[in-house]
Amino acid sequence: MGGKLEEAGIDTNNLGEAQDRIQTELAETKSKMDEIDDSGSFMDRASESLELFGAVAAAVGVSNIFQSIMSGLKECADAAADFEYGMSAVAAIANSSTEEMSELSQKALEIGSTTMYTATQASEALSYMALAGWSSAEMLEGVDGVIQLAAASGEDLASVSDIVTDALTAFGMSASDSAGFVDILAAAAANSNTTVSMLGDAFKYAAPVAGALGYSVEDVSVAMGLMAN
């Protein structure tokens, strides 16, 4: 333990110095938590700081307090990394501009702060929309409906996004139809012995054929509900 502190330039015989150093490290790491650094240097810095916190905490005899701080900071760092990775995947699939990605990132963060879902989960939902060929504008327009359907059904957000985007494509519908589409799915799930997830599984088989034959999503949803009953 002493070796770790000495590497950090802290005199193990001077606990005051150790306490000052950990306060400085905490302040620096907290400020960095608001940044998203594509180079990864922030994540490296956070990892180094967390290791130092553990060493100093043990040395000054307040490990319980600082181990809790360390754990919380690590969770924040992991969440930031997951979110950054998720949005990078969206950017790669959608081939969006920097400005468009900024808008999508802000939307995902807004979802994370105002709904039951995290920003990382929002990024996963956006990735399914990108895979379906939706533009950034269409993602911004359609994601709220997907959020509402997922919340109302209690289903996984990414799975609901996958169901909605696949079914819309099968019926020849567009992202602008997503609000009405999720209302139909929600009504079918609420008024019959089925769930959004089960409807999604059924759509995988029925929607392409039904769409090709000219049947509407309303027709198919009613039929599925009746058969489920």
Side-chain angles (χ1 to χ4, degrees), residues 22 26 29 33 46-47 49-55 57 62-80:
I22 198 170
L26 280 169
T29 304
M33 285 296 175
S47 178
S49 296
L50 292 176
E51 290 181 7
L52 177 61
F53 292 163
V62 288
S63 59
N64 288 339
I65 296 174
F66 285 106
Q67 288 295 337
S68 296
I69 294 173
M70 181 179 71
S71 177
L73 288 172
K74 186 178 185 303
E75 289 179 6
C76 290
D78 288 345

Side-chain angles (χ1 to χ4, degrees), residues 106-120:
Q106 287 301 315
K107 182 63 176 180
L109 290 170
E110 176 188 327
I111 291 169
S113 64
T114 60
T115 73
M116 62 187 291
Y117 299 103
T118 66
T120 299

